[in-house]
Amino acid sequence: MRFLRLTFVLTAILTVFVLNGPASAGRQKIRVLMPPFDAPGDAAASSRLRRDVMESLATGLAAIGAEIAGIEELKELVLKEGVIAFTEERALGLGVRVKADFVLLGALKASEASFAVEIRLIDLTTGTKAASYSRSSPSVEALLDEADRLADHVYRDMLSARSSRPALKSGVIDSIAVSGNRRVDTAAVMKKITSRTGEPFSPDDVREDIRAIYSTGFFDDVYADLSDTNSGKVLTFVVREMPFIKKVSVEGNKEIKEERVNGLINIKENTVLDRSILYDAAAKIKALYAEEGFYLAEVEPQVKSDGVEAEVLFKIEEGPEVKVRRITVIGAKRYGEEDIKDLMNTDEKGLFSFLTRSGKFSEFVFTNDLALIMGHYYDNGFINADILDRRLLLSDDKLWLYITIALTEGEQYRFGDIDLSGDMLDGKKALLEKIKIKKDSVFDRSKLGKDVDVISDFYGDKGYAYADIRPLTTPDNGKKTVDVTFDIKKNDPVFVERIDITGNVTTRDKVIRREMEVDEGSLFSSSGLKRSRNNLRRLGFFEDVRIAQ
């Protein structure tokens, strides 16, 4: 997988290099560095998506007149130093080194329902974010079209940022000041500054100072100003602090309970606002809605701030719920497609879905459906059955879902020899008689599990509460059988030290103890505990009875 990522990064860089031709006549040339965008996972599909999006964006920028900077330096980092991920600090440092005007930092996100790209444009002269962009589309082709159109917006924003820059100033710095900070101590800010009094003003040094101050995470904006005063030239770093979060709320959620939504929001009150965490929480909420079938849901984080305190609101527009139009099963031979569908809780939308709620899709329910299908095969002797693939295809209007399940059944197996090993109590023959599975019967995983419980209870009644029962299975592919050996480790016997009773308000302890079939100081008994629980339930006084060991 590492080779795939390295191969992709190189491909993306070389492609951009080919696109980087001379600027169009009459247009203002701007140098922009494009480090490889972050991409989900290491899969080849993600690498292709990253390459194609970067190609599309670079093609548009080159056609307008931008110059892609730092190609040779990127190649050096990838091929010789093995760099496969570019942090913001590394990217901005490289941008300064190759004398770029701007850096484009991007991240790609892909799911079964959508593809998205998020980009930040960093102005290296000021060291601050000039613009940000977010585009999502239901297909790769549509996302590439979006990237191509986005190039024009990026170029215009670069021109606008460059034209709005103040004229470069020069001279010897007489003093350095920080303004705008309320909670962050001035000394803490000054520690990040490399510019010094008595030295000539350097735009490059100031740019690095701004980036260092901004990287602390305490400030929403940072810029520098060199002004002439009666006491000489003063270099002032003007900061705007991140506000403290006063309140976090959610609005517009009707189909999903607020507790589930709040569980995804890792933004806490009385902490400093972090916009990256803010947008990450919004993405998680949107993903939750997608899992529940609301692929058109939009989540917008809104911040109201007076500069000191902020209120964060996640405004949700749920949109219509996607419905399952068709479920297709491929590879089912022993059982028909309808038999497989009957095992699933996910079903196709019918005429009376308004009564039955049929057609509703939930990622959690669907995942459990796949487990139910496999459980059915395992309980009927198909020990090599497997889900080869699962595809969820969303219609263009995002209202209908088409599900395809591809599976393999394999051959049916039967039980072979049944045996016991390990610590025996009362002899092997007596214990074998308690086991229900029989030789030559169809292999059944559920019945095998029940026999494990039977043996565990037998040992539990003898005081071995923590007996370890492991069913060892040995398939014979020629005979199509599975030999089973129950390996037993009884461990140490357990005695009941004390019986505590909690939760009873009106019923006295002595009434409850009369129904108990285990006593303090006695040897542990599994069946005794079960009978005790049943006795208490029969009293009818309690809503629930649980026994914890």
Side-chain angles (χ1 to χ4, degrees):
M1 300 304 291
R2 179 178 175 87
F3 175 75
L4 284 175
R5 293 192 69 177
L6 287 172
T7 301
F8 160 69
V9 175
L10 175 59
T11 303
I13 295 171
L14 292 178
T15 303
V16 173
F17 177 69
V18 172
L19 293 171
N20 185 34
S24 303
R27 291 188 182 272
Q28 188 175 6
K29 183 185 294 186
I30 295 178
R31 289 173 56 82
V32 56
L33 175 71
M34 286 182 60
F37 292 174
D38 291 337
D42 297 323
S46 296
S47 295
R48 288 194 299 271
L49 175 62
R50 172 166 56 179
R51 178 200 63 198
D52 292 344
V53 169
M54 291 185 67
E55 279 186 11
S56 186
L57 185 57
T59 300
L61 288 171
I64 296 172
E67 179 182 348
I68 308 300
I71 298 301
E72 293 302 323
E73 288 77 7
L74 285 171
K75 287 165 60 178
E76 179 84 9
L77 287 170
V78 171
L79 294 177
K80 294 187 177 181
E81 298 185 24
V83 177
I84 58 176
F86 284 79
T87 62
E88 179 174 338
E89 183 178 2
R90 181 188 290 272
L92 296 184
L94 179 60
V96 172
R97 197 160 68 246
V98 301
K99 301 187 184 306
D101 298 299
F102 296 89
V103 172
L104 274 180
L105 300 173
L108 290 157
K109 297 180 180 180
S111 66
E112 294 176 345
S114 65
F115 302 88
V117 59
E118 295 180 355
I119 297 174
R120 286 179 295 146
L121 178 66
I122 307 297
D123 187 340
L124 284 174
T125 300
T126 62
T128 59
K129 181 176 70 176
S132 60
Y133 317 89
S134 179
R135 300 290 188 273
S136 62
S137 299
S139 67
V140 172
E141 292 75 15
L143 184 64
L144 295 180
D145 290 339
E146 289 281 356
D148 188 52
R149 289 191 292 269
L150 184 61
D152 189 55
H153 292 283
V154 174
Y155 191 76
R156 287 204 306 266
D157 287 337
M158 289 193 295
L159 284 177
S160 176
R162 193 152 105 168
S163 64
S164 62
R165 294 172 186 165
L168 292 178
K169 298 182 179 181
S170 61
V172 175
I173 302 171
D174 293 299
S175 63
I176 300 175
V178 178
S179 70
N181 55 314
R182 300 180 181 181
R183 297 184 302 271
V184 182
D185 189 67
T186 298
V189 180
M190 293 294 289
K191 287 181 179 179
K192 296 291 182 179
I193 298 171
T194 59
S195 298
R196 293 289 181 262
T197 58
E199 296 181 357
F201 173 82
S202 168
D204 290 339
D205 289 345
V206 170
R207 181 166 62 242
E208 290 296 320
D209 291 339
I210 291 174
R211 186 160 63 85
I213 297 171
Y214 189 79
S215 67
T216 63
F218 296 130
F219 305 104
D220 197 25
D221 191 20
V222 182
Y223 67 92
D225 176 65
L226 183 67
S227 58
D228 291 309
T229 67
N230 292 332
S231 58
K233 291 186 179 294
V234 178
L235 174 61
T236 304
F237 291 91
V238 183
V239 300
R240 185 174 70 230
E241 292 182 343
M242 286 286 191
F244 262 85
I245 300 173
K246 179 182 179 182
K247 180 181 178 182
V248 181
S249 57
V250 177
E251 177 184 289
N253 58 305
K254 298 177 182 178
E255 298 294 335
I256 298 181
K257 292 183 178 180
E258 190 166 334
E259 291 78 9
R260 293 186 65 192
V261 177
N262 286 335
L264 300 174
I265 301 174
N266 54 349
I267 299 174
K268 305 300 180 184
E269 295 178 359
N270 298 319
T271 60
V272 176
L273 176 66
D274 187 325
R275 296 188 185 276
S276 63
I277 297 178
L278 184 73
Y279 290 108
D280 180 63
K284 289 180 179 178
I285 297 172
K286 189 172 181 178
L288 172 64
Y289 270 91
E291 289 177 4
E292 295 298 326
F294 293 87
Y295 287 93
L296 294 177
E298 294 293 337
V299 182
E300 180 186 0
Q302 298 180 347
V303 178
K304 294 181 180 179
S305 174
D306 59 3
V308 179
E309 295 181 326
E311 293 185 3
V312 176
L313 171 66
F314 290 91
K315 189 172 183 180
I316 302 172
E317 293 184 9
E318 295 178 326
E321 182 180 15
V322 68
K323 295 291 184 180
V324 178
R325 171 61 63 88
R326 186 167 64 247
I327 300 175
T328 303
V329 180
I330 301 172
K333 298 176 181 179
R334 183 63 177 267
Y335 302 99
E337 184 177 70
E338 293 303 319
D339 295 326
I340 300 299
K341 289 182 183 179
D342 288 342
L343 299 170
M344 302 172 62
N345 291 308
T346 303
D347 54 6
E348 298 164 341
K349 185 178 184 299
L351 292 174
F352 298 100
S353 62
F354 61 93
L355 296 175
T356 63
R357 296 284 288 169
S358 63
K360 179 179 175 62
F361 179 79
S362 166
E363 182 71 28
F364 175 80
V365 173
F366 178 62
T367 301
N368 186 63
D369 286 338
L370 299 180
L372 291 174
I373 295 171
M374 286 296 95
H376 176 73
Y377 275 101
Y378 297 151
D379 290 346
N380 286 276
F382 296 93
I383 64 173
N384 294 317
D386 194 14
I387 300 290
L388 298 177
D389 197 9
R390 43 164 281 186
R391 295 290 177 90
L392 305 177
L393 179 63
L394 197 62
S395 62
D396 291 339
D397 58 9
K398 293 188 178 182
L399 296 178
W400 295 104
L401 194 63
Y402 296 84
I403 299 176
T404 301
I405 301 172
L407 56 84
T408 179
E409 295 178 332
E411 299 290 335
Q412 189 181 52
Y413 282 64
R414 294 179 175 273
F415 282 113
D417 295 330
I418 312 298
D419 200 1
L420 297 166
S421 66
D423 302 326
M424 296 292 137
L425 295 179
D426 296 349
K428 179 185 289 188
K429 184 178 179 180
L431 197 52
L432 281 172
E433 290 176 353
K434 297 179 180 296
I435 296 174
K436 302 300 182 184
I437 60 174
K438 301 300 179 185
K439 184 176 181 178
D440 295 330
S441 63
V442 174
F443 181 88
D444 188 321
R445 188 180 63 174
S446 294
K447 289 182 179 179
L448 182 62
K450 290 178 182 178
D451 279 341
V452 170
D453 293 338
V454 168
I455 298 173
S456 295
D457 288 344
F458 174 76
Y459 276 76
D461 285 344
K462 302 291 185 179
Y464 297 97
Y466 301 110
D468 183 17
I469 316 298
R470 293 188 301 158
L472 307 178
T473 57
T474 307
D476 187 323
N477 296 327
K479 297 179 180 179
K480 299 296 183 292
T481 59
V482 180
D483 295 335
V484 178
T485 299
F486 294 93
D487 184 60
I488 304 169
K489 185 178 181 182
K490 60 181 174 40
N491 294 314
D492 296 328
V494 176
F495 289 83
V496 179
E497 180 180 359
R498 190 177 67 211
I499 298 174
D500 295 323
I501 301 172
T502 62
N504 53 317
V505 179
T506 58
T507 306
R508 294 184 177 181
D509 282 8
K510 65 179 182 179
V511 175
I512 296 173
R513 290 182 184 275
R514 280 202 301 262
E515 302 297 330
M516 301 292 293
E517 297 197 21
V518 291
D519 298 316
E520 293 177 344
S522 66
L523 202 59
F524 177 88
S525 171
S526 296
S527 59
L529 282 180
K530 291 180 180 178
R531 289 194 299 271
S532 299
R533 183 166 51 241
N534 292 335
N535 292 343
L536 292 173
R537 286 173 175 171
R538 278 197 297 270
L539 289 177
F541 298 154
F542 310 109
E543 183 178 346
D544 188 24
V545 177
R546 288 176 293 172
I547 298 178
Q549 297 173 212

